[in-house]
PDB file of all heavy atoms in Angstrom:
ATOM      1  N   HIS F 465      47.577  38.981  74.367  1.00  0.00           N
ATOM      2  CA  HIS F 465      46.464  38.051  74.422  1.00  0.00           C
ATOM      3  C   HIS F 465      46.936  36.675  73.989  1.00  0.00           C
ATOM      4  O   HIS F 465      47.626  36.549  72.998  1.00  0.00           O
ATOM      5  CB  HIS F 465      45.371  38.544  73.478  1.00  0.00           C
ATOM      6  CG  HIS F 465      44.123  38.867  74.179  1.00  0.00           C
ATOM      7  ND1 HIS F 465      44.011  39.969  74.983  1.00  0.00           N
ATOM      8  CD2 HIS F 465      42.931  38.233  74.227  1.00  0.00           C
ATOM      9  CE1 HIS F 465      42.793  39.989  75.473  1.00  0.00           C
ATOM     10  NE2 HIS F 465      42.118  38.955  75.035  1.00  0.00           N
ATOM     11  N   ASP F 467      46.159  34.210  72.099  1.00  0.00           N
ATOM     12  CA  ASP F 467      45.362  33.715  70.983  1.00  0.00           C
ATOM     13  C   ASP F 467      46.264  33.699  69.760  1.00  0.00           C
ATOM     14  O   ASP F 467      47.025  34.642  69.560  1.00  0.00           O
ATOM     15  CB  ASP F 467      44.173  34.673  70.757  1.00  0.00           C
ATOM     16  CG  ASP F 467      43.284  34.200  69.635  1.00  0.00           C
ATOM     17  OD1 ASP F 467      43.542  34.550  68.478  1.00  0.00           O
ATOM     18  OD2 ASP F 467      42.343  33.460  69.914  1.00  0.00           O
ATOM     19  N   LEU F 470      46.620  36.818  67.887  1.00  0.00           N
ATOM     20  CA  LEU F 470      47.036  38.025  68.599  1.00  0.00           C
ATOM     21  C   LEU F 470      48.415  37.896  69.237  1.00  0.00           C
ATOM     22  O   LEU F 470      48.892  38.829  69.869  1.00  0.00           O
ATOM     23  CB  LEU F 470      46.000  38.367  69.676  1.00  0.00           C
ATOM     24  CG  LEU F 470      44.590  38.652  69.141  1.00  0.00           C
ATOM     25  CD1 LEU F 470      43.637  38.883  70.281  1.00  0.00           C
ATOM     26  CD2 LEU F 470      44.598  39.861  68.242  1.00  0.00           C
ATOM     27  N   ARG F 489      44.164  52.793  75.862  1.00  0.00           N
ATOM     28  CA  ARG F 489      43.920  53.258  77.229  1.00  0.00           C
ATOM     29  C   ARG F 489      44.025  54.785  77.303  1.00  0.00           C
ATOM     30  O   ARG F 489      43.228  55.441  77.968  1.00  0.00           O
ATOM     31  CB  ARG F 489      44.923  52.623  78.176  1.00  0.00           C
ATOM     32  CG  ARG F 489      44.751  51.127  78.299  1.00  0.00           C
ATOM     33  CD  ARG F 489      45.690  50.550  79.327  1.00  0.00           C
ATOM     34  NE  ARG F 489      45.530  51.224  80.592  1.00  0.00           N
ATOM     35  CZ  ARG F 489      46.512  51.398  81.472  1.00  0.00           C
ATOM     36  NH1 ARG F 489      47.716  50.933  81.210  1.00  0.00           N
ATOM     37  NH2 ARG F 489      46.304  52.023  82.590  1.00  0.00           N
ATOM     38  N   HIS F 505      29.539  59.959  88.232  1.00  0.00           N
ATOM     39  CA  HIS F 505      28.757  59.063  89.078  1.00  0.00           C
ATOM     40  C   HIS F 505      29.674  58.319  90.053  1.00  0.00           C
ATOM     41  O   HIS F 505      30.852  58.145  89.795  1.00  0.00           O
ATOM     42  CB  HIS F 505      27.996  58.068  88.226  1.00  0.00           C
ATOM     43  CG  HIS F 505      28.889  57.228  87.365  1.00  0.00           C
ATOM     44  ND1 HIS F 505      29.680  57.764  86.393  1.00  0.00           N
ATOM     45  CD2 HIS F 505      29.117  55.908  87.358  1.00  0.00           C
ATOM     46  CE1 HIS F 505      30.355  56.819  85.821  1.00  0.00           C
ATOM     47  NE2 HIS F 505      30.048  55.670  86.381  1.00  0.00           N
ATOM     48  N   ALA F 508      31.830  53.113  93.162  1.00  0.00           N
ATOM     49  CA  ALA F 508      32.713  52.493  94.136  1.00  0.00           C
ATOM     50  C   ALA F 508      32.592  53.188  95.481  1.00  0.00           C
ATOM     51  O   ALA F 508      32.409  54.400  95.551  1.00  0.00           O
ATOM     52  CB  ALA F 508      34.146  52.576  93.653  1.00  0.00           C
TER      53      ALA F 508
ATOM     54  N   TYR Q 138      44.208  45.210  69.576  1.00  0.00           N
ATOM     55  CA  TYR Q 138      44.851  45.574  70.837  1.00  0.00           C
ATOM     56  C   TYR Q 138      44.432  46.965  71.281  1.00  0.00           C
ATOM     57  O   TYR Q 138      44.210  47.213  72.459  1.00  0.00           O
ATOM     58  CB  TYR Q 138      46.377  45.500  70.699  1.00  0.00           C
ATOM     59  CG  TYR Q 138      46.919  44.142  71.036  1.00  0.00           C
ATOM     60  CD1 TYR Q 138      47.384  43.290  70.067  1.00  0.00           C
ATOM     61  CD2 TYR Q 138      46.930  43.702  72.346  1.00  0.00           C
ATOM     62  CE1 TYR Q 138      47.858  42.037  70.370  1.00  0.00           C
ATOM     63  CE2 TYR Q 138      47.392  42.456  72.670  1.00  0.00           C
ATOM     64  CZ  TYR Q 138      47.866  41.625  71.681  1.00  0.00           C
ATOM     65  OH  TYR Q 138      48.319  40.393  72.005  1.00  0.00           O
ATOM     66  N   GLU Q 146      39.916  50.233  79.710  1.00  0.00           N
ATOM     67  CA  GLU Q 146      40.091  51.474  80.460  1.00  0.00           C
ATOM     68  C   GLU Q 146      38.766  52.215  80.620  1.00  0.00           C
ATOM     69  O   GLU Q 146      38.402  52.612  81.716  1.00  0.00           O
ATOM     70  CB  GLU Q 146      41.124  52.339  79.731  1.00  0.00           C
ATOM     71  CG  GLU Q 146      41.675  53.481  80.553  1.00  0.00           C
ATOM     72  CD  GLU Q 146      42.666  53.041  81.599  1.00  0.00           C
ATOM     73  OE1 GLU Q 146      42.988  51.839  81.636  1.00  0.00           O
ATOM     74  OE2 GLU Q 146      43.118  53.886  82.374  1.00  0.00           O
ATOM     75  N   TRP Q 151      33.918  53.638  83.932  1.00  0.00           N
ATOM     76  CA  TRP Q 151      32.472  53.715  84.060  1.00  0.00           C
ATOM     77  C   TRP Q 151      31.980  52.881  85.231  1.00  0.00           C
ATOM     78  O   TRP Q 151      31.167  53.321  86.025  1.00  0.00           O
ATOM     79  CB  TRP Q 151      31.810  53.270  82.763  1.00  0.00           C
ATOM     80  CG  TRP Q 151      30.359  53.564  82.777  1.00  0.00           C
ATOM     81  CD1 TRP Q 151      29.346  52.698  82.983  1.00  0.00           C
ATOM     82  CD2 TRP Q 151      29.756  54.846  82.617  1.00  0.00           C
ATOM     83  NE1 TRP Q 151      28.155  53.336  82.960  1.00  0.00           N
ATOM     84  CE2 TRP Q 151      28.372  54.669  82.738  1.00  0.00           C
ATOM     85  CE3 TRP Q 151      30.260  56.127  82.386  1.00  0.00           C
ATOM     86  CZ2 TRP Q 151      27.481  55.718  82.640  1.00  0.00           C
ATOM     87  CZ3 TRP Q 151      29.359  57.165  82.285  1.00  0.00           C
ATOM     88  CH2 TRP Q 151      27.995  56.958  82.410  1.00  0.00           C
ATOM     89  N   GLN Q 153      33.943  51.512  87.536  1.00  0.00           N
ATOM     90  CA  GLN Q 153      34.837  51.765  88.662  1.00  0.00           C
ATOM     91  C   GLN Q 153      35.327  50.481  89.325  1.00  0.00           C
ATOM     92  O   GLN Q 153      35.255  50.308  90.534  1.00  0.00           O
ATOM     93  CB  GLN Q 153      34.167  52.684  89.667  1.00  0.00           C
ATOM     94  CG  GLN Q 153      33.662  53.929  88.955  1.00  0.00           C
ATOM     95  CD  GLN Q 153      33.408  55.086  89.848  1.00  0.00           C
ATOM     96  OE1 GLN Q 153      33.231  54.948  91.031  1.00  0.00           O
ATOM     97  NE2 GLN Q 153      33.437  56.288  89.281  1.00  0.00           N
ATOM     98  N   VAL Q 158      39.422  42.063  79.353  1.00  0.00           N
ATOM     99  CA  VAL Q 158      38.784  41.565  78.140  1.00  0.00           C
ATOM    100  C   VAL Q 158      39.531  40.306  77.723  1.00  0.00           C
ATOM    101  O   VAL Q 158      40.751  40.309  77.640  1.00  0.00           O
ATOM    102  CB  VAL Q 158      38.837  42.626  77.024  1.00  0.00           C
ATOM    103  CG1 VAL Q 158      38.280  42.073  75.747  1.00  0.00           C
ATOM    104  CG2 VAL Q 158      38.071  43.846  77.425  1.00  0.00           C
ATOM    105  N   LEU Q 160      39.576  37.538  74.801  1.00  0.00           N
ATOM    106  CA  LEU Q 160      39.009  37.263  73.493  1.00  0.00           C
ATOM    107  C   LEU Q 160      39.618  36.022  72.867  1.00  0.00           C
ATOM    108  O   LEU Q 160      40.746  35.652  73.161  1.00  0.00           O
ATOM    109  CB  LEU Q 160      39.240  38.441  72.560  1.00  0.00           C
ATOM    110  CG  LEU Q 160      38.627  39.761  72.981  1.00  0.00           C
ATOM    111  CD1 LEU Q 160      39.041  40.837  72.041  1.00  0.00           C
ATOM    112  CD2 LEU Q 160      37.138  39.647  73.028  1.00  0.00           C
ATOM    113  N   THR Q 162      39.866  34.528  68.800  1.00  0.00           N
ATOM    114  CA  THR Q 162      39.563  34.956  67.437  1.00  0.00           C
ATOM    115  C   THR Q 162      39.283  33.755  66.556  1.00  0.00           C
ATOM    116  O   THR Q 162      39.855  32.687  66.753  1.00  0.00           O
ATOM    117  CB  THR Q 162      40.728  35.741  66.829  1.00  0.00           C
ATOM    118  OG1 THR Q 162      41.882  34.933  66.859  1.00  0.00           O
ATOM    119  CG2 THR Q 162      40.981  37.010  67.582  1.00  0.00           C
TER     120      THR Q 162
END
Side-chain angles (χ1 to χ4, degrees):
Chain F
H465 242 72
D467 181 272
L470 299 176
R489 294 184 55 211
H505 59 297
Chain Q
Y138 270 107
E146 195 75 4
W151 190 257
Q153 307 200 339
V158 175
L160 299 175
T162 57

